[in-house]
Each structure stands twice: as structure tokens, then as C-alpha cells.
Amino acid sequence: MDIRCRKALCKYNDRFTCKANAVLVDEEVVCTSFEKDPLKEDVQDVTKNLFTEKPSYAPQRDSKTLEIKCKANCLFNHNGQCVSNGITLNSIKEKPYCISYLHENFEN
């Protein structure tokens, strides 16, 4: 599973890869493992030079070394475990929302 985090100010974020021991997405689809790092003030703005400079990404982490729990009413929530092929947390809003979320009972 590919775990990507765009919350650059999180203490577990290493160049867009989550280094936390565990991730919990709550009922509101928010990553409760997020902890702001007071030492991280300089955030890499990847959109500023998107087509001229390659962003620095940490190597992908094997999901077997990371416990991913989910309490959201999500299609990928299987008995509290995330079974998605990958998750991404947003960078735009104040809270770290899981943008891989798909409502379990979506309608066509």
C-alpha cells in the first residue's frame, strides 16, 4: 500500500511519506495520528515549480510495517483495517483528511 501524506508540518511526514508507527482515520475521515512539528516551518511548495523541478520524495514504505486503522464509513474499511491500495492525506484544509475515502454506501 502506498501511504502518502501532504501534511508537510506533521512530525511523521518525511518528504510526503508517513513515518508513523500507526495511522488511525476517524469517523470524520481525519487522520488522528497527525502531530504538528514545531520545528517544521519551511514547507516545500511543490506546486510552485511543479513543471520545472522534481519534488523530493522519500522512498515508499511497506504497509506491513505500518498499522492502518479506520473508523470511517468507507468502502475500504474492513473490520477497522484499511484495505485500500493506497491512502493520501490532503494538504489544503486545516485537518489532515484522508482523500482516498469512498463512502461505503455510494449510489450510482
Side-chain angles (χ1 to χ4, degrees), residues 2-108:
D2 186 21
I3 312 299
R4 292 291 170 197
C5 182
R6 297 178 184 163
K7 283 299 200 193
L9 295 177
C10 182
K11 78 177 198 175
Y12 301 114
N13 188 323
D14 176 19
R15 296 170 290 145
F16 305 102
T17 298
C18 181
K19 298 295 184 179
N21 292 329
V23 170
L24 172 62
V25 176
D26 68 12
E27 295 90 349
E28 301 297 317
V29 195
V30 173
C31 176
T32 62
S33 306
F34 170 79
E35 288 185 44
K36 187 174 179 182
D37 186 342
L39 301 177
K40 289 185 178 179
E41 293 298 329
D42 185 26
V43 177
Q44 180 188 11
D45 184 359
V46 295
T47 60
K48 185 177 177 182
N49 300 313
L50 186 62
F51 299 106
T52 57
E53 294 178 25
K54 180 181 174 187
S56 175
Y57 293 102
Q60 180 177 326
R61 223 177 135 190
D62 186 349
S63 62
K64 293 176 182 155
T65 64
L66 174 66
E67 182 178 35
I68 304 170
K69 299 277 188 180
C70 184
K71 293 184 179 180
N73 187 18
C74 179
L75 181 66
F76 303 117
N77 181 347
H78 181 69
N79 297 325
Q81 296 287 327
C82 180
V83 295
S84 172
N85 287 335
I87 64 172
T88 300
L89 300 175
N90 76 333
S91 63
I92 299 170
K93 303 220 182 223
E94 186 67 32
K95 294 180 180 180
Y97 287 98
C98 176
I99 58 175
S100 305
Y101 167 78
L102 286 175
H103 194 279
E104 183 177 36
N105 298 318
F106 68 94
E107 302 214 5
N108 296 333

